[in-house]
Amino acid sequence: MSKPRTIASILLIHLAAIHLPAQSPSKGNDAAERKWWKEAIVYQIYPRSFKDANGDGIGDLKGIISKLDYIKSLGVTAVWLNPIYASPNDDNGYDVSDYRDIMKEFGTMADFDNMLKGLHDRGIRLIMDVVVNHSSDEHVWFLRSRSSRNNPYREYYHWWNAENGKPPYRYSLFDINHDAWMYDSATNAYYLHYFSRKQPDLNWENPKVRQEVYSVMKFWADKGIDGFRLDAFQFAAKDTTWPEFPKGFQKDFIKYYAMQGNLHGYLQEMNKEVLSKYDVMSVAEGAGNTLEDAHNLVDSNRHELNMAYPFDGVDIARPEGYSLSHFKEVFTRWDKAFAEKGWLSVFLSNHDQARLVSRFGNDQPEYREPSAKMLATFILTMRGTPYWYNGDELGMSNAGFSDIKDYRDVSAMNEYRHLKSTGGDMAAFMKTLRFSSRDNGRTPFQWNDARNAGFTTGTPWISVNPNYKTINEAAQDKDPNSCLNYFRQLTKLRKDNLVLVYGKYTLLDKDNTQVYAYTREWQGKKMLVLLNFSDKSAQTTALTNNIPVRLLLNNYTEGPTLTAAGAGLKPYQAVVYSMDE
């Protein structure tokens, strides 16, 4: 994400719901109960950048269809697809103008049906985004809402009549002036938009709005899709008395925006109206402000959601680096909180982040491959459902854009304009953007070393990373030691060993500042994972030469050096051992 820490965090606060087959419950606590969605490996596709089939420079549904065999080859079991609905594209599809139609750039409903069938034929499920904290200002609901104060759709959005003075300040993430109230002369009133001016917030306090959303969800569920991801839903409920917030609240605006009002009531109503009527499981991509918030969202007796998606981990990376001790503390704390009840998602990247290897690993040529493999090992050996962003399996890296003209993200461009008009430090901003902009994660998928990385025969909507000549799917598919084939080994290892899904997590060698070591243990099986998060050789006491182990996976051709004192790991080395007797 191209914003500071708190803004990066909030764009990750979403919800999802996934179709599930009926399964018999197993004995044990909630966390040990087998479910399809716990065992899933979710692959996120950013359609605009995945594959262009018609040469217009924009990825599309037919492009995805042409790569279904590739997706199957990865060993993933579900695809999460970013929005493909009709949209004027102010925020790349997160401004929906028609929830029941396909964006023309992406194709037709017939293309969608073919894609869905192709996925299902390959045993892969489909999760779709539903963006219902806000709509596009070109949606018919908003066009009617802004036409008259007496229009039946007026209360579908949040309005403040101008004769009452300026509304209490609300911070906007994407607005050039960071003001979430936009004046509209048609009715002499202000409308609320937490994101861009073209993304007015829906009024979830209006039961008619809620019923509209539930109808949309049922439309797609009836078509046979396997899930929904509700974007930015943590913001949906508002205190419509519009109290004044303390000066400077925007520095910690999540505290004032997230988990407000009757959000839990709306989720319970959604569960009753939609989720309980389909064979679906709801997933919270976002976990509130505390561990208690997370459990209030996902504990089964509340009849709301079932999987938490905490963003504390993804938010750790900084341009100046990050502390492995902090990294370990965050993931260990969340695992402990959900060890007996509830369930977690595990991820370090998505469409709102820069590239995984550039943020958490090392994208220098010498270390890009081993660090990308190491990070993949972490995500696919932790307890929880792993979410994997397209292209990270190749070790795709940040694009290195140096000019604002290279960027396409509305948040980046508007913040640039804001800082320029207010005398901000432009050099510092561009440096931060180069590292953290979410456009880094949106450059075209690198299929081969042909023109435009094989993504399109036209002009790509955003520039291709110049390193596609050496980092691409075609080359890695042929190389047994590539990042791609290592990822395939990891997905197979996870699917073949449910101890990596359900097993107890135990942190080892806690104070080691270079190595993350832990065991997973379940039903008589035990595995040991050793990860060197540094660019230097490292030692860990988590394994010695007198402990019987069997090597299952290694991202180097040579294993660690074992002595009576411990194990010696090469830079960014990752190893997985079986400790079964």
Side-chain angles (χ1 to χ4, degrees), residues 218-249:
K218 291 174 184 177
F219 171 83
W220 290 102
D222 288 339
K223 285 185 71 67
I225 73 163
D226 304 294
F228 306 101
R229 170 185 178 274
L230 282 80
D231 176 75
F233 195 78
Q234 191 163 255
F235 282 168
K238 275 89 171 174
D239 181 349
T240 53
T241 64
W242 307 116
E244 292 280 356
F245 289 159
K247 185 177 181 180
F249 81 91

Side-chain angles (χ1 to χ4, degrees), residues 83-94:
I84 57 171
Y85 315 101
S87 168
N89 272 318
D90 184 60
D91 187 25
N92 283 6
Y94 281 93

Side-chain angles (χ1 to χ4, degrees), residues 259 262-265 267-269 271-272 292-306 341:
M259 310 294 294
N262 194 30
L263 186 74
H264 290 296
L267 288 173
Q268 289 164 5
E269 182 181 69
N271 186 294
K272 180 181 178 181
E292 182 181 4
D293 279 348
H295 277 292
N296 285 340
L297 283 169
V298 305
D299 284 356
S300 59
N301 61 351
R302 294 182 62 84
H303 304 289
E304 296 184 30
L305 304 164
N306 300 92
K341 195 172 186 180

Side-chain angles (χ1 to χ4, degrees), residues 361-374:
N362 189 327
D363 59 13
Q364 294 303 303
E366 181 180 1
Y367 297 121
R368 183 189 59 82
E369 287 193 19
S371 66
K373 293 175 182 178
M374 182 274 293

Side-chain angles (χ1 to χ4, degrees), residues 107-120:
T108 66
M109 191 63 78
D111 295 332
F112 171 83
D113 292 338
N114 289 335
M115 180 191 68
L116 180 62
K117 182 179 184 302
L119 286 167
H120 286 170

